[in-house]
Amino acid sequence: MSSPYLEHANTDKAAHIWRYTPWKRAHPTGTINEVPQSESPEISISLVDGTSVPDGITIEPATESDIERLGHELDFDHGTAAPKFIAAVAKKTMILKIENKIKVETPLIVTITTSGDICASRLLIDIGSQVEAEIITLIEGNANWTGILREGQYGSNSIINDVVTQITGNRLVRCDALSLCRDAQVKAGTVNASSSQAKIDIRHWLNEPGSSLKVNGSILSSNENHLDSHIEITHSGRQTHSRLEWHSACGGKSNTTGTGMLRIDAGAKGADAGQLFHNLLLSEKAKANSIPELEVLESEVVGCGHGTANGPIDEQQLFYLSTRGLDEEQARAALIAAFLNTPLSDMGSNLLHGWLVERIEKHLNLI
Amino acid sequence: MSVTPLLKIEGLKASIDETEILKGIDLEILPGEVHAVMGRNGSGKSTTAHVLMGHPDYEVTNGNVKLDGEDLLEMESYERARAGVFLSFQYPHSVPGLQVGNFLRRSVSAINGEEAAKGPEFRNLLKEGMEQLGLDRSFLARYVNDGFSGGEKKRFEILQMMLIKPKLAILDETDSGLDIDGIRTVAQGVDAAIRGSNSGALIITHYNRILEHVKPDKIHVLIDGKIVKSGGPELANKLEERGYDWIEKEVMANE
């Protein structure tokens, strides 16, 4: 099969993006020049409270003009192989569309149910201007390998909480390429618990003035999980704001990586950006890497900072909880949940938070 | 008929990093009694509190401690809490991400059983306690001690004590950092939890201000890891007026 992907299949192993999870490992068959057959997942939308999805919110097959309008070039620098591959193997492209000025009080769930050996989907996100909504994309099902490519834009002056969760599953490669229009306020959350292997590459572009982005990650790795997340935020517009807070609780013999790139382009005057990776090490055999990077090409910025913190459970916190009657297991579980809850509680409304907590809590006993 | 002491400490010695801090403490609290331990900085007051609660940094090298006749030193910290010991920390630890309401339910459930942490009775107790301590309902959604003012931390410790209703409350400098109203509120909380019950309290403090509101039955003076003098409430006033020098001189003379 001839594919634009094949031009990018041979990746630079020394590049930052592939250092911890080479593309050969993330690729479903390990033969990187292969573009295998794949299944398409079932994709449906519903509201958390079970009521009908309001008019103006649809999910349907995308047209060529949708792809042209919302599809990014999929130029992920050294990381281009993954999104190009998903675009190549996905049999169909769907579009989630929320029309201008729609306000949804209840979180919207986009359920992606995977099946088969290899399952891939390309999903366009088209959020109109002045939309107010919370979107939970729930990746579930039993495919051995899942590829999800999300591309699109958040409309001008929209207020969006957009959370992607994979709480059960096997191998995952997920790529996001999303841009924020003028004055859009977006909270982009990622919740991952118990994927056996995940390679996540999330990229946001703040191209227009006044846009604001908060990226939150709540990652629970256990057993021999291998979770590698790269988060890239590019400020091109003036007076743009972004924050990244990525918490990973690492247990068992898991290997967890978080790499970040904050890029402030020339001309992005007044940009204000910061990123923090925090790893909680729960076992001696768990490994965690965090590498935040900055690339600042504009001198007139409000701020641009990064940081990383790694450590085991705080003994003093453990003692405090034990003096309140919690045995060691209960106290550890409470502290891990609290650690993961800090970014989780910032992903959206109380309703959305409650929904997420309910689903992640049962996984705490895995570590 | 003799009454079993609520707390009986005999010859307690404890070290941290091989440095002996407690050098032989003897103390007995009967049910319904409030005792106070006073002393200068570094005399071993907070160490006493932490050792009684089973802090892993401290090693007990000698002595025994009984709560209601049960060997406290054999128990893990959580078992001591479940047996009825409560420590109000001088510097309570923050737990970002753990909401106060959730924490209170877990804690009360772990110590007093699941039933005690749900239903209208618990909710009423919580509501009354918060009102008494001047804590707003929104407090329940905040994270444990995260961003709390000094006064909020102390009030939160007392709220926990009021909900848990321990047999023995150890208050480690709960009054320090509080204003007069705060001290009065905390004192009311102690009275509500201890007085008229078979519980007891050990109040560790630098000052006698809190003791003006919570009338202790006995005062103990701790110097260099030992209780060197015990007496009634008048001892606190004497310490306030004359400091600790006279007691130190008295001890040296006796030695």
Side-chain angles (χ1 to χ4, degrees), chain B residues 148-190:
Chain B
F148 287 14
S149 68
E152 283 175 329
K153 284 182 182 176
K154 300 297 173 77
R155 285 166 201 240
F156 181 46
E157 294 291 286
I158 298 303
L159 177 65
Q160 293 175 61
M161 184 187 72
M162 291 165 78
L163 293 175
I164 290 168
K165 298 178 182 165
K167 274 187 195 168
L168 174 69
I170 304 165
L171 276 61
D172 187 8
E173 306 216 15
T174 302
D175 52 334
S176 52
L178 282 177
D179 57 21
I180 291 294
D181 285 342
I183 289 175
R184 198 173 291 131
T185 307
V186 165
Q188 285 167 357
V190 174

Side-chain angles (χ1 to χ4, degrees), chain A residues 135-153:
Chain A
I135 305 163
I136 302 168
T137 300
L138 174 64
I139 303 168
E140 59 180 20
N142 55 15
N144 288 325
W145 185 95
T146 299
I148 303 288
L149 169 61
R150 301 192 323 141
E151 300 161 86
Q153 66 178 24

Side-chain angles (χ1 to χ4, degrees), chain A residues 216-282:
Chain A
N216 288 299
S218 196
I219 309 294
L220 178 62
S221 48
S222 56
N223 302 319
E224 294 184 356
N225 296 164
H226 178 98
L227 308 180
D228 180 348
S229 309
H230 176 75
I231 304 98
E232 197 161 314
I233 299 168
T234 303
H235 291 249
S236 300
R238 290 173 172 235
Q239 308 297 332
T240 50
H241 178 277
S242 76
R243 288 289 182 274
L244 163 68
E245 186 164 359
W246 202 263
H247 282 208
S248 302
C250 316
K253 294 178 184 173
S254 64
N255 195 327
T256 311
T257 298
T259 56
M261 168 58 82
L262 265 184
R263 186 176 289 116
I264 299 190
D265 287 344
K269 295 185 188 306
D272 183 359
Q275 57 179 331
L276 177 67
F277 288 91
H278 198 157
N279 298 313
L280 184 65
L281 292 164
L282 302 170

Side-chain angles (χ1 to χ4, degrees), chain A residues 233-346:
Chain A
I233 299 168
T234 303
H235 291 249
S236 300
R238 290 173 172 235
Q239 308 297 332
T240 50
H241 178 277
S242 76
R243 288 289 182 274
L244 163 68
E245 186 164 359
W246 202 263
H247 282 208
S248 302
C250 316
K253 294 178 184 173
S254 64
N255 195 327
T256 311
T257 298
T259 56
M261 168 58 82
L262 265 184
R263 186 176 289 116
I264 299 190
D265 287 344
K269 295 185 188 306
D272 183 359
Q275 57 179 331
L276 177 67
F277 288 91
H278 198 157
N279 298 313
L280 184 65
L281 292 164
L282 302 170
S283 82
E284 285 184 4
K285 291 186 175 172
K287 287 182 188 166
N289 301 295
S290 294
I291 304 101
E293 287 190 311
L294 302 174
E295 197 175 293
V296 184
L297 303 174
E298 170 59 52
S299 56
E300 290 180 40
V301 297
V302 173
C304 189
H306 63 168
T308 179
N310 302 305
I313 283 184
D314 184 317
E315 291 293 331
Q316 300 304 327
Q317 287 181 334
L318 207 55
F319 177 63
Y320 187 65
L321 295 195
S322 72
T323 68
R324 299 308 185 244
L326 276 65
D327 64 30
E328 189 174 347
E329 195 179 321
Q330 291 171 323
R332 277 174 63 87
L335 291 174
I336 296 165
F339 173 79
L340 293 172
N341 190 41
T342 309
L344 208 65
S345 63
D346 191 32

Side-chain angles (χ1 to χ4, degrees), chain A residues 153-190:
Chain A
Q153 66 178 24
Y154 305 105
S156 60
N157 211 23
S158 59
I159 301 173
I160 304 296
N161 299 330
D162 182 8
V163 181
V164 179
T165 71
Q166 191 197 25
I167 296 178
T168 58
N170 298 315
R171 296 169 66 203
L172 172 73
V173 174
R174 172 187 151 208
C175 299
D176 280 14
L178 295 154
S179 54
L180 281 70
C181 297
R182 187 182 182 108
D183 297 323
Q185 295 173 52
V186 176
K187 285 185 176 178
T190 289

Side-chain angles (χ1 to χ4, degrees), chain A residues 45-54 57 103-111 134 136 349 351-352 354-355 358-359:
Chain A
I45 53 175
S46 58
L47 295 184
V48 158
D49 63 3
T51 56
S52 306
V53 175
I57 303 176
K103 291 181 172 55
V104 200
E105 301 285 335
T106 310
L108 174 75
I109 305 179
V110 179
T111 305
E134 296 191 296
I136 302 168
S349 65
L351 197 57
L352 181 142
W355 190 92
E358 205 174 290
R359 275 147 192 85

